Amino acid sequence: EWKRVELDDLYRFFNHPARYLLTKRLGIHLEEKALLLDEKEAFELKGLERYLIEESLLNRGFLDQRLIDLLPVWRASGRLPHGTVGDCLFEGLVRGIEHFIEKTKPYMEGNRLDPIPVDLTLTGFRLTGRVHGLYPGRMIHYRYGRIKPRDHLKVWFHHLVLNSIGPGGAPRSSLLAGLNP
């Protein structure tokens, strides 16, 4: 049973071995910290809330949607600070994301390719899964934030798998884009 490994599980194991073993082998799920509601009104976006908004805007931007037109939607969602502060914050997010898309999009020329199924047998183990983020000539992963070691690890695993599949149109090069200085 443990000789069949999903590509994403392999990544999760190497990213955080203790958590993986607790969850997958022992069935122990650690609870997340309870979120406390702030007693004061926020005038900025922090942490996870900011990341989720940026990620949503980034995905829509790569689909060629005009991001600034989404301001009323985000204002109505209640996730932005009220008034002019929220509007200015949103406009700043949009400018940064549009700049990132402008720098990254030239590497995404051509139509996005369908994910490639993976089914490799390596020294008695079977590695299965799918590789996403494929374009003609390359695999592209991006993160609108600082690149972390886990991002490098994930791209490296997918890159090795693509190059192990053999000939057949799979891209041979990989690109990781982020906001590192």
Side-chain angles (χ1 to χ4, degrees):
E1 175 182 345
W2 291 102
K3 290 205 170 206
R4 182 169 188 252
V5 180
E6 288 285 327
L7 181 59
D8 289 338
D9 284 341
L10 183 66
Y11 160 72
R12 283 186 198 101
F13 171 77
F14 280 100
N15 183 44
H16 201 303
R19 178 185 298 153
Y20 180 84
L21 291 173
L22 282 172
T23 304
K24 292 291 186 173
R25 294 295 295 252
L26 301 176
I28 298 172
H29 299 275
L30 301 176
E31 294 182 27
E32 297 291 325
K33 295 178 185 176
L35 296 174
L36 300 176
L37 296 176
D38 287 336
E39 294 181 12
K40 56 188 175 200
E41 186 174 340
F43 289 100
E44 61 182 328
L45 292 172
K46 294 182 181 176
L48 182 60
E49 189 66 28
R50 181 182 183 103
Y51 174 78
L52 292 174
I53 292 172
E54 289 172 338
E55 199 64 22
S56 176
L57 289 172
L58 188 65
N59 291 333
R60 291 170 186 254
F62 276 121
L63 295 174
D64 295 326
Q65 292 184 0
R66 278 185 37 91
L67 299 181
I68 201 66
D69 294 343
L70 298 172
L71 176 59
V73 174
W74 285 100
R75 194 183 299 138
S77 75
R79 294 168 71 184
L80 293 175
H82 295 289
T84 305
V85 172
D87 294 353
C88 291
L89 183 70
F90 185 80
E91 289 170 10
L93 291 175
V94 166
R95 275 193 308 275
I97 289 169
E98 286 175 343
H99 180 71
F100 181 80
I101 290 171
E102 179 184 317
K103 295 289 186 185
T104 309
K105 204 152 191 174
Y107 297 100
M108 298 176 175
E109 292 176 354
N111 293 331
R112 188 176 189 142
L113 303 175
D114 292 331
I116 293 179
V118 175
D119 193 351
L120 296 171
T121 302
L122 307 164
T123 63
F125 286 86
R126 187 170 172 204
L127 182 64
T128 61
R130 297 174 95 51
V131 179
H132 299 270
L134 303 173
Y135 292 85
R138 70 178 51 94
M139 175 186 66
I140 300 173
H141 285 248
Y142 54 85
R143 173 187 186 82
Y144 187 72
R146 291 184 61 88
I147 299 293
K148 298 181 179 184
R150 66 179 174 201
D151 299 316
H152 288 283
L153 183 66
K154 186 172 189 173
V155 169
W156 183 241
F157 277 148
H158 286 97
H159 177 80
L160 290 175
V161 166
L162 280 176
N163 284 278
S164 296
I165 290 174
R172 296 284 184 232
S173 64
S174 301
L175 173 73
L176 176 60
L179 295 180
N180 287 16

